[in-house]
Amino acid sequence: MSVAAGEPDDVQTHKAKGPVIKRQSIWTRLTHWVWVVCLFFLLLTGLQIFNAHPSLYIGQQSGFEFDNSVLSIGAIRNEDGSVSGITRIFGQQFDTTGVLGWSGPEGQERPRAFPAWTTIPSYQDLATGRVVHFFFGWILVGTMFVWFLASLINGHLRRDIVPTGRDLKSLPKDVADHARLRFTHTRHYNVLQKISYGVVLLVLFPLIVLTGLSMSPGMNTAWPWLIEVFGGRQTARTIHFGVMVLLVGFFVIHIAMVLLAGPLNTMRSMITGKYRIDAETGDRS
Amino acid sequence: MKRFSAGRRRFLTAGAAGAAGLTLAGCDVFDPLLRPNHPVRNAMSSANELTYSAQRALIGREALAKEFSESEIRQGMRPNGSTDPNNVEYMFLRQADFVLYRLQVDGLVDTPTSYSLEQLRNMPARTQITRHDCVEGWSCIAKWTGVPLAAILDEVGVQSNARYCVFHCYDIYSGGLSGGVPYYESIDMLDARHPQTILAYGMNDAALPVANGAPLRVRVERQLGYKMAKYIQRIKLVESFAQIHGGKGGYWEDHGYDWYAGI
């Protein structure tokens, strides 16, 4: 009786607890955590820099006497004397008082695009925002090259990033599994992981660096073709901001997946490299 | 093994709690490290020297900033910074339409010289339609006419130990307790001799307006707007700018901005 009751439990435990494998190389883990620090500071100083001129445009120049703005954040005074934070996106106007345009402690609200808690430094200081932004920008670019070279040599890129034909065939099933929050722990990344990491590392990272460089008048002289690819300096600035939004979106989903797939196991694999896979995944990798 | 993973779990929990605390405390936790002259801030600002060297290596000496066509001038030139200096000497010169204005060129030169606006206008001129990029993030296209700075430097004869051109200006910024601080800027000799570096007295086919730096401003097309000093009074060739005002090579540099503004 007791044996029969215990059996399903045993099966369950066995299914959850497979062997611990070595999953992440030192290069993957090192670059991952350097990027965590870099992207944190780049985002918060980027918003500081954006606050110095909180409007985005399409084209070479900023329209002061014509309208080529796609996004702007500002404050307006209402008829009753109160002030509202206003965000305009493609001509649509939204009241964002308290967060975008007009924010601060009660009674000390100020006109500022992104609020103090989203910028470094917390007060308005473009000069310092730039100093910190470019410092971490250099580290991000350096780490990107290290990662790319290491991943090319140790096979991470071929094995874990570029999806195979078989991966793509399993895409519908993988999407369905993720949608049901049913996660499997296999030796290699699943196809959605491969695609999302591939997009972030091989598309979004280079794009945000290159659009950043397109805003540099020095680089515009060194590589005049670059800014033309993006359709002008102000378009490059808009794309730079848009890629930031996509990376923040990736971050939110990434953290949610870590939590849902078992935070201790996933965090361990990113710190020590060791990862416990499901028991019978021998041929699923 | 079990004890090991328990310890690891504690470590991870502590890490997560620390990260959450950091986020809740807001980003002002970094503010003290980033105040002027804090070693952390100073260490980070050395990245500007890396940017300077990297761009100097990538950009050809004479590589030109893009020039635009007439049709791309779609608006007036947006003025920024000082737009109406209230320095008494400047207001006096302006009253007489800058007829009495003299540009002083001195320092490490063979023949210190002064130029009237008339003399400058009679020298060979260069006109260029370029995009002005402000450090704040905006851009504006305008047409600039002026004397190449290289021509002036050749006339006065630059001594071999001169490394920087310092522009001293008429506009005065409020400097708190110490009173007013005049605007000044500096560029290296490579940018000073660049073909597009001109002392502009004309803008969009008219005399340079007061709001944009009349009677004379410099264009340094491969850098950001704050390098392009307006209301120039004097150009001084120096070996080092360490002894000038705050010692960082410019008014905004003394207030935390990078000296090299190619990015």
Side-chain angles (χ1 to χ4, degrees), chain A residues 95-153:
Chain A
D95 188 322
T96 48
T97 309
V99 186
L100 302 179
W102 180 252
S103 62
E106 194 149 349
Q108 299 172 48
E109 291 93 340
R110 298 178 63 94
R112 51 180 294 154
F114 282 94
W117 56 271
T118 64
T119 65
I120 290 178
S122 62
Y123 45 89
Q124 187 73 42
D125 183 354
L126 171 62
T128 305
R130 281 168 52 85
V131 164
V132 180
H133 199 75
F134 297 144
F135 175 79
F136 284 103
W138 270 109
I139 298 182
L140 177 79
V141 171
T143 320
M144 272 169 60
F145 280 106
V146 169
W147 176 86
F148 189 79
L149 216 66
S151 300
L152 205 64
I153 294 165

Side-chain angles (χ1 to χ4, degrees), chain B residues 151-219:
Chain B
I152 303 270
L153 296 179
D154 287 341
E155 267 195 22
V156 297
V158 178
Q159 294 174 2
S160 58
N161 53 341
R163 292 185 58 204
Y164 304 101
C165 258
V166 180
F167 304 94
H168 292 280
C169 307
Y170 281 111
D171 50 332
I172 292 173
Y173 279 69
S174 58
L177 291 174
S178 57
V181 182
Y183 198 87
Y184 77 106
E185 256 304 339
S186 58
I187 56 175
D188 64 9
M189 296 313 293
L190 198 143
D191 263 334
R193 291 195 169 279
H194 185 260
Q196 285 172 322
T197 299
I198 60 173
L199 298 172
Y201 46 73
M203 188 191 91
N204 290 345
D205 294 320
L208 184 64
V210 167
N212 299 95
L216 206 62
R217 81 173 299 173
V218 67
R219 299 292 311 166

Side-chain angles (χ1 to χ4, degrees), chain B residues 111-125:
Chain B
T111 342
T113 315
S114 76
Y115 294 87
S116 72
L117 210 49
E118 194 58 33
Q119 284 172 301
L120 293 170
R121 284 199 179 112
N122 283 327
M123 291 176 74

Side-chain angles (χ1 to χ4, degrees), chain A residues 44 53 60-62 64-66 119 121-123 128 130 138 216 218 220-221 228 233-234 264 271, chain B residues 9 27 31 35 41 51 55 59 63-64 66 72 74-76 78 131 133 136-139 141 262-263:
Chain A
L44 277 71
H53 187 78
Q60 281 287 1
Q61 55 180 330
S62 315
F64 297 109
E65 293 170 23
F66 58 96
T119 65
S122 62
Y123 45 89
T128 305
R130 281 168 52 85
W138 270 109
S216 150
N220 291 162
T221 319
E228 305 304 330
R233 183 172 191 260
Q234 291 301 319
L264 292 178
I271 294 167
Chain B
R9 195 162 299 158
C27 293
D31 291 354
R35 303 274 182 201
R41 190 191 197 284
T51 306
Q55 291 207 354
I59 310 171
L64 297 182
K66 179 174 175 166
E72 285 166 293
R74 297 181 60 191
Q75 56 190 349
R78 182 181 172 84
R131 196 191 63 228
D133 297 330
E136 294 166 359
W138 53 265
S139 312
I141 292 172
I263 189 161

Side-chain angles (χ1 to χ4, degrees), chain A residues 53-59 61-64 66-73 88-92 234 238:
Chain A
H53 187 78
S55 293
L56 298 174
Y57 312 86
I58 296 295
Q61 55 180 330
S62 315
F64 297 109
F66 58 96
D67 187 12
N68 61 342
S69 162
V70 289
L71 180 146
S72 68
I73 301 174
R88 285 186 193 85
I89 306 173
F90 295 110
Q92 297 289 314
Q234 291 301 319
T238 301

